[in-house]
Amino acid sequence: MSENIENETYTGIDSHQHFWQYDSIRESWITDEMQVIRKDFLPADLAPLIRENQLQGCVVVQSDQSELHNTFLLELAAQNDFIKGIVGWVDLQNENVSDRFEYYNQFNVIKGFRHVLQGEANRALMLKLAFMRGIDALGKYDFTYDILIYPDQMKYIPEFVAAFPQQKFVIDHLAKPYIKDRKIDEWQRDMYAIAKFDNVFCKVSGMVTEADFKKWKQADFTPYLDVVVNAFGIDRLMYGSDWPVCLVAGNYATVLSIVKDYFSLYSEADQQKVFGINASRFYKL
């Protein structure tokens, strides 16, 4: 995690977004309140937004827990060079998961994997022996792991990440704090506990969908951003749009501006880390 990046030029990287061809059963998680995203979202929709906002590219993250979705994302990446990395899905509890990692290791664009832990009935699934065996198998291939959880699961993460000190982890969406309800104390305590592990990064993403979709304001996010900056430091934070999910509460440029406005008083070097360098280092883009 300390690669020499001197003399390399970085422009912005969106470290977290999704593509899908809408299916009402597969995307059943999209509620009536989010119906604006009940349609296809493909590279042709994102490419102009990447250009308009002067970004170099993006990391696309799985939104369907199937290997068919990995194939879909690989096809899109082969056709669109602004897709710099893929975070896919495999069944980490499968005893043959190493065979799947061996297969995906041939694709340089696949950088890591994710499981939708936030939706699991077993809130401590990440501590299950079979799951941890799957995480252990990531290490041989230097794949990353995105941790997608709700705040009630944060208490399990220190034990989880402590078991794999060489594994690169990143918390998606600040672990989805209760911004709408202005709850922060327990989340803050748990975030500091997680951030003590220097192999764990945090994505500054997904905030607008945890706020009031219609009435959020910039100041709503400041306390939560203060916490992750103080907990992780500038070197372990990376910006992500969570497009197209963010469209339920804003647009691409607005979501980017929330984070840009917050970091506007930071040095140019620090801003470059949050908006590109850290993601490039973490995912080896």
Side-chain angles (χ1 to χ4, degrees):
M1 285 180 279
S2 59
E3 294 92 333
N4 185 354
I5 60 163
E6 290 180 3
N7 302 319
E8 293 187 39
T9 301
Y10 284 85
T11 54
I13 295 291
D14 179 347
S15 73
H16 198 108
Q17 56 79 211
H18 309 283
F19 295 122
W20 62 68
Q21 291 176 306
Y22 179 69
D23 178 282
S24 61
I25 296 175
R26 188 183 60 224
E27 275 77 48
S28 60
W29 57 272
I30 301 177
T31 64
D32 290 345
E33 189 181 18
M34 304 166 73
Q35 60 182 322
V36 68
I37 59 172
R38 284 178 171 164
K39 62 179 184 178
D40 296 353
F41 288 95
L42 296 168
D45 303 304
L46 182 60
L49 301 175
I50 292 286
R51 288 194 300 269
E52 289 164 15
N53 290 280
Q54 299 178 311
L55 301 177
Q56 182 186 15
C58 63
V59 175
V60 59
V61 179
Q62 63 82 220
S63 55
D64 173 37
Q65 300 200 116
S66 76
E67 291 199 36
L68 281 175
H69 190 57
N70 296 343
T71 301
F72 169 67
L73 297 179
L74 281 165
E75 290 170 352
L76 296 183
Q79 299 161 9
N80 298 273
D81 62 6
F82 73 88
I83 300 173
K84 304 300 183 184
I86 294 171
V87 175
W89 180 89
V90 292
D91 181 0
L92 288 164
Q93 299 183 80
N94 187 317
E95 61 182 17
N96 297 318
V97 70
S98 290
D99 294 341
R100 304 314 301 145
F101 292 148
E102 183 70 36
Y103 170 74
Y104 287 114
N105 195 46
Q106 70 181 296
F107 304 104
N108 185 55
V109 73
I110 292 194
K111 305 301 182 180
F113 294 90
R114 181 176 87 156
H115 185 83
V116 184
L117 288 168
Q118 69 176 30
E120 291 289 346
N122 180 356
R123 307 307 284 160
L125 179 70
M126 71 292 289
L127 298 179
K128 189 176 175 182
L129 182 60
F131 194 94
M132 295 182 81
R133 192 183 302 119
I135 295 294
D136 188 54
L138 287 168
K140 177 181 177 182
Y141 303 97
D142 200 28
F143 286 132
T144 62
Y145 184 76
D146 274 53
I147 301 174
L148 178 64
I149 53 172
Y150 282 130
D152 70 295
Q153 296 169 291
M154 295 173 73
K155 60 190 175 187
Y156 304 119
I157 301 305
E159 180 181 350
F160 175 55
V161 300
F164 309 102
Q166 302 305 312
Q167 173 63 45
K168 289 194 290 188
F169 294 101
V170 60
I171 301 289
D172 287 350
H173 313 322
L174 288 73
K176 299 196 166 185
Y178 304 118
I179 298 172
K180 183 178 181 180
D181 298 324
R182 292 180 167 79
K183 292 181 180 179
I184 195 169
D185 292 345
E186 289 186 18
W187 170 86
Q188 176 177 263
R189 178 200 66 204
D190 290 337
M191 192 60 89
Y192 272 100
I194 293 168
K196 288 179 181 178
F197 298 88
D198 62 11
N199 57 321
V200 184
F201 287 58
C202 183
K203 286 186 181 178
V204 183
S205 60
M207 294 186 297
V208 292
T209 46
E210 303 311 315
D212 187 310
F213 288 1
K214 305 295 184 184
K215 299 178 182 178
W216 64 261
K217 53 187 182 297
Q218 177 82 28
D220 295 339
F221 309 113
T222 300
Y224 301 91
L225 288 167
D226 287 345
V227 168
V228 295
V229 170
N230 289 330
F232 288 91
I234 290 295
D235 290 340
R236 289 190 286 145
L237 298 177
M238 61 184 87
Y239 168 74
S241 68
D242 199 26
W243 179 95
V245 183
C246 67
L247 301 180
V248 304
N251 60 48
Y252 195 91
T254 299
V255 168
L256 178 58
S257 73
I258 291 169
V259 186
K260 279 194 168 183
D261 286 351
Y262 178 86
F263 286 102
S264 62
L265 298 180
Y266 284 71
S267 69
E268 181 66 25
D270 283 349
Q271 291 181 54
Q272 287 182 10
K273 289 178 179 180
V274 174
F275 291 102
I277 291 175
N278 294 342
S280 295
R281 282 173 162 166
F282 181 84
Y283 287 118
K284 293 189 174 180
L285 304 183

